[in-house]
Amino acid sequence: MARTDTPIDRASAADMMSLASAMQVGAVIVLERDPGDVVSLLAERIRTVPRLRRRLVRTPFGCGRPIWVDDAGFDIAKHVDRLRCPSPGDEQALLDIASTLVTRPLPLSSPLWSATLITGLAGNRAALVFVFHHVLSDGIGGLAVLAKLVDGAPRTEPAPFPAPAPSRGQLAKDTWFRLPRPISFAGLRRPSAGARCSLNQPTGPRRRQTMARADVSRLHTAAHRCGGTINDALLTAVTGALATLLASRGEHVDELVVSVPVSTRRMTTADHLGNSTGVMPVALPTSGTPPSRLARIAAVTRSHKKSPASVVPVFRLLKAIGVAEWLTNHQRLVHTFVTNVHGPDQPLSLGGTPIVGLLPLSATTGNVTVAFAALSYAGALTVTVVADPDRVPDLAVLTEALQVELDLLR
């Protein structure tokens, strides 16, 4: 008989939105060399991250949203794989493998993550490609998971495994206390359609990722000089690069609407994952010198940060009437997505092997052909550009333009 005091790890409304989008994200952990037996290493360390050994299951009728329960048959060998990178084993070859892995659907019948060790990289390096479904966690939570896996992390005593699932009575009681509030649209700005351009097209199943880099301290100095933040500098570089891409296609847009996630977390631990973000759609200028655009963008984001919008109430309503997926795949409110996560400031190691790079993995969907994800690590900012290669055959033009924009700012 199930204990009546079993804690309930329930999916939030924001989690359900991520589940419906079927989006997978992750990171590439670049290692100085092959660390050896990562299966045993991860098997030991994930014991302190409960959700990595839990699966998402539906509840009985009247018992609310799905819950995370311990997977009694958990087998880490089903989650960890090993591949050899084809020649020349450079960064683009690594990103091509990572793009395939992050778009390969994870089975909903088991814990929603995978780790693949990539060997055969140039310079005898290796990489661990970590992929998880967005319903498991947002980007900030993903960093909390990383902090538990690397060397030197504080070791906490794991809870007994597997824990019994909550009883139906316990679920019903919990659901009663979690009854959804009436949908409110207070504080939401009225969305307006962005300018029509080739950035908004239905996307296919394939993805390709490229990257650009910047020095965090130099970017911070440039942003501070113009009254902005590193995120403002990133938005300046992204919009400038997109303007260059559109110009090469014979298009001109004065403003681009960018969707920027804003974390609403009060605490970040590997014990409390899930999604806790609002969104900040901002119309940003594409003309002018980089410093002048940065100053204007900083002013725009400052005004929006006072009230970041939550799309969850709107999504709940659209989902209830059966039009959420159609509208997402035909939307013209947003031209692109830009995420930026502040990663570890100091170098880390995994199993005694130095981590020499940390690259973000993301996806793009919803009538958006290209998106951007930035992650800092040990003073370096890496920006990955993810695109549908069939809709963005000129991805190299965009990537080069982004690097130029970042260089101009610093």
Side-chain angles (χ1 to χ4, degrees):
M1 182 175 179
R3 296 197 319 259
T4 58
D5 59 346
T6 303
I8 297 176
D9 184 6
R10 192 184 292 275
S12 68
D15 293 340
M16 296 306 295
M17 187 174 69
S18 296
L19 182 64
S21 69
M23 182 179 291
Q24 296 179 173
V25 293
V28 179
I29 303 170
V30 184
L31 301 162
E32 189 174 77
R33 60 182 181 275
D34 186 340
D37 185 7
V38 295
V39 175
S40 298
L41 178 70
L42 293 178
E44 174 62 27
R45 297 186 179 179
I46 67 168
R47 295 170 64 222
T48 59
V49 186
R51 199 169 279 188
L52 293 186
R53 293 193 294 173
R54 290 176 179 170
R55 56 192 180 91
L56 191 64
V57 299
R58 295 183 181 277
T59 60
F61 178 77
C63 290
R65 291 188 296 266
I67 59 171
W68 295 90
V69 298
D70 285 353
D71 183 5
F74 177 77
D75 181 1
I76 194 167
K78 296 179 180 179
H79 293 265
V80 182
D81 200 1
R82 190 181 184 102
L83 295 174
R84 184 168 181 83
C85 185
S87 179
D90 57 8
E91 287 183 327
Q92 189 55 57
L94 172 60
L95 283 177
D96 288 344
I97 293 176
S99 296
T100 299
L101 294 173
V102 79
T103 54
R104 186 174 65 188
L106 294 164
L108 294 174
S109 58
S110 61
L112 293 170
W113 66 275
S114 70
T116 306
L117 182 67
I118 311 298
T119 59
L121 300 179
N124 294 319
R125 289 183 171 180
L128 189 65
V129 180
F130 198 93
V131 175
F132 58 91
H133 196 296
H134 212 309
V135 70
L136 189 148
S137 180
D138 54 27
I140 301 295
L143 283 180
V145 171
L146 175 64
K148 284 283 191 176
L149 301 181
V150 298
D151 299 344
R155 296 301 168 204
T156 56
E157 188 64 27
F161 180 89
S167 67
R168 181 166 185 164
Q170 187 182 3
L171 288 172
K173 181 180 178 181
D174 180 74
T175 301
W176 174 261
F177 286 108
R178 292 175 184 251
L179 286 177
R181 300 173 183 174
I183 295 177
S184 172
F185 301 99
L188 293 181
R189 296 179 178 86
R190 181 181 178 183
S192 57
R196 286 184 172 263
C197 66
S198 55
L199 295 177
N200 289 123
Q201 299 181 67
T203 55
R206 297 202 306 141
R207 295 294 180 270
R208 183 171 172 80
Q209 309 215 26
T210 58
M211 64 182 172
R213 288 189 170 94
D215 180 274
V216 170
S217 62
R218 292 183 179 182
L219 207 59
H220 179 269
T221 300
H224 183 72
R225 186 181 300 122
C226 297
T229 64
I230 287 182
N231 201 59
D232 295 325
L234 174 63
L235 293 173
T236 302
V238 165
T239 51
L242 288 174
T244 299
L245 176 72
L246 291 173
S248 72
R249 298 175 178 177
E251 302 175 62
H252 176 77
V253 176
D254 291 323
E255 285 186 337
L256 290 170
V257 181
V258 180
S259 179
V260 182
V262 179
S263 177
T264 57
R265 286 181 179 271
R266 295 183 178 179
M267 61 182 297
T268 303
T269 72
D271 296 323
H272 300 85
L273 296 177
N275 291 266
S276 184
T277 56
V279 293
M280 190 171 71
V282 285
L284 305 177
T286 61
S287 59
T289 64
S292 67
R293 279 190 293 114
L294 200 162
R296 290 157 61 194
I297 287 174
V300 171
T301 59
R302 274 196 303 272
S303 67
H304 282 67
K305 286 175 185 176
K306 297 175 182 177
S307 56
S310 171
V311 298
V312 174
V314 178
F315 185 84
R316 281 172 49 201
L317 177 61
L318 297 178
K319 188 74 174 175
I321 60 178
V323 298
E325 184 176 356
W326 187 90
L327 287 176
T328 299
N329 292 329
H330 293 79
Q331 68 83 30
R332 289 189 176 274
L333 301 176
V334 173
H335 292 112
T336 191
F337 303 98
V338 179
T339 63
N340 181 22
V341 178
H342 182 88
D345 292 322
Q346 301 300 320
L348 304 173
S349 62
L350 181 69
T353 304
I355 296 175
V356 296
L358 202 56
L359 320 176
L361 289 178
S362 64
T364 178
T365 186
N367 211 41
V368 173
T369 58
V370 61
F372 305 82
L375 176 61
S376 63
Y377 172 66
L381 182 74
T382 300
V383 186
T384 56
V385 187
V386 56
D388 178 342
D390 299 312
R391 295 297 189 182
V392 190
D394 43 3
L395 180 56
V397 174
L398 175 60
T399 307
E400 182 180 355
L402 178 60
Q403 188 62 66
V404 168
E405 291 283 336
L406 290 169
D407 291 342
L408 286 173
L409 282 173
R410 74 185 186 188

